[in-house]
Amino acid sequence: MKDALSRGIGGKRKQADPILPEDEAVIWEKGIFGMNNAEPLQNTVFFYCCMLFGLKGHDEHHSLECNQFLLGEDNRGKFIEFRGRSTKTFKGGLAHKELHNKQIRHYCQPGDRCMANFFKIYLDALGNEGPFYRRSLAGSPPRYGSQLVGVNKLKSMMKVICEKAGLKGNFTNHSGKRTCATALYQKGVDEQDIMGRTGHRSEMGVRAYKRGNTDIACTVSKALDPPELKCPKKEPEEACGHLVDISNKMNVRVPEKLEAGGSSTYSYNNCTFISYQ
């Protein structure tokens, strides 16, 4: 292992790329997200289940049920409440008696892309019961059949969404959870609160999912750069001679000929002119 690392093998860890805000905007602009048809609506719900609630892979998605989502509204606005069950980091039983399953309340921003509205339309189309991912049917409004979405389709769902948008990178279902951690990190959210969303039980685990952006990299680089060379300032008298106050003159003649065959005169009002001679 050490010998392989010394030869440069295994030095770079392959990870899923997060989806940046500008990439997310492209997905919306190309109509891959939406609520008018079943497929765009399911794409939207899938992506934001990953991003808002830190779901990963296909196992957590495949076992989702409609009754794990509660829609409501209080004085802070509309919200989606997610109630998690058994996951990779929470199995229940005596071994995890001090732990709690994931319970997240996400408050949605009002507007055309309010996620509470998207989830309501999706859950209503499913009858608000049963498995959360089912085969989409053609037509509008969105409709879904009784057949479940296959495991293989769930595994590649994020990859297909990004390919349709023309995004370049290593995008997998883990990209959604990594997007969640990265977005919160870049907004300065505390690691403990990030762990509450992603479900990580250790700070080391959540740090592996975070990625800084270019602005952060530039700030770090600037802080570590050598100090700038400062030129000594010279007094105007030393640099250019003495100062002449011509502020009382209303008309200033430009000695240089600006046009062929003559010179130009400019009029200035309420101005102070300093001539360096």
Side-chain angles (χ1 to χ4, degrees):
M1 186 77 174
K2 292 181 180 180
D3 181 60
L5 188 60
S6 67
R7 289 185 285 113
I9 301 174
K12 185 177 180 180
R13 185 178 179 184
K14 188 176 181 180
Q15 291 181 313
D17 293 327
I19 297 171
L20 303 178
E22 53 267 30
D23 297 331
E24 187 180 349
V26 170
I27 299 174
W28 279 101
E29 290 168 2
K30 293 196 173 182
I32 300 166
F33 291 161
M35 62 169 62
N36 294 327
N37 295 301
E39 185 174 348
L41 179 59
Q42 193 169 72
N43 290 338
T44 308
V45 170
F46 173 85
F47 178 84
Y48 285 97
C49 273
C50 297
M51 187 165 176
L52 303 183
F53 308 117
L55 303 185
K56 68 172 185 177
H58 70 279
D59 48 350
E60 288 185 85
H61 289 279
H62 190 256
S63 60
L64 278 180
E65 298 280 335
C66 291
N67 58 12
Q68 290 181 250
F69 296 90
L70 173 66
L71 304 180
E73 186 174 3
D74 58 19
N75 57 358
R76 294 181 179 86
K78 293 182 178 180
F79 63 81
I80 309 169
E81 188 169 290
F82 171 71
R83 300 168 182 150
R85 294 178 181 171
S86 176
T87 63
K88 178 182 176 181
T89 56
F90 178 77
K91 301 294 185 181
L94 294 176
H96 290 171
K97 64 180 180 179
E98 300 298 330
L99 302 178
H100 301 282
N101 61 332
K102 187 185 292 185
Q103 284 194 316
I104 299 172
R105 176 173 291 191
H106 177 80
Y107 284 94
C108 305
Q109 298 296 322
D112 294 337
R113 295 178 180 175
C114 175
M115 277 301 114
N117 296 335
F118 281 82
F119 272 73
K120 184 178 187 314
I121 293 173
Y122 185 74
L123 289 169
D124 287 345
L126 295 174
N128 288 286
E129 61 180 4
F132 192 69
Y133 291 108
R134 303 181 211 167
R135 296 280 185 178
S136 58
L137 303 177
S140 182
R143 297 179 303 122
Y144 301 91
S146 57
Q147 187 179 4
L148 303 184
V149 174
V151 173
N152 291 331
K153 183 175 181 178
L154 280 176
K155 282 183 178 180
S156 61
M157 208 157 180
M158 187 69 74
K159 181 180 179 181
V160 171
I161 289 173
C162 294
E163 285 179 349
K164 287 182 178 179
L167 305 183
K168 302 298 183 183
N170 181 33
F171 298 110
T172 69
N173 283 7
H174 274 74
S175 296
K177 189 168 187 174
R178 194 159 192 210
T179 301
C180 172
T182 299
L184 295 177
Y185 163 64
Q186 292 179 0
K187 291 293 184 181
V189 178
D190 187 76
E191 280 189 343
Q192 186 174 355
D193 295 319
I194 299 177
M195 291 164 61
R197 284 274 176 157
T198 61
H200 287 101
R201 292 172 54 189
S202 69
E203 293 179 352
M204 291 297 295
V206 75
R207 285 171 188 167
Y209 273 76
K210 298 187 301 187
R211 174 181 290 185
N213 60 13
T214 306
D215 293 335
I216 294 175
C218 288
T219 301
V220 173
S221 299
K222 189 174 181 181
L224 299 176
D225 274 343
E228 296 180 0
L229 179 63
K230 294 184 179 180
C231 298
K233 292 184 178 180
K234 295 182 179 180
E235 295 296 329
E237 290 83 356
E238 298 177 5
C240 305
H242 63 279
L243 303 180
V244 178
D245 187 356
I246 56 174
S247 58
N248 292 327
K249 297 182 179 181
M250 299 301 295
N251 297 318
V252 179
R253 179 171 294 280
V254 180
E256 299 179 359
K257 291 185 178 182
L258 302 180
E259 298 178 0
S263 61
S264 299
T265 301
Y266 292 84
S267 294
Y268 299 87
N269 295 319
N270 300 322
C271 298
T272 299
F273 296 89
I274 304 296
S275 175
Y276 293 91
Q277 298 179 350

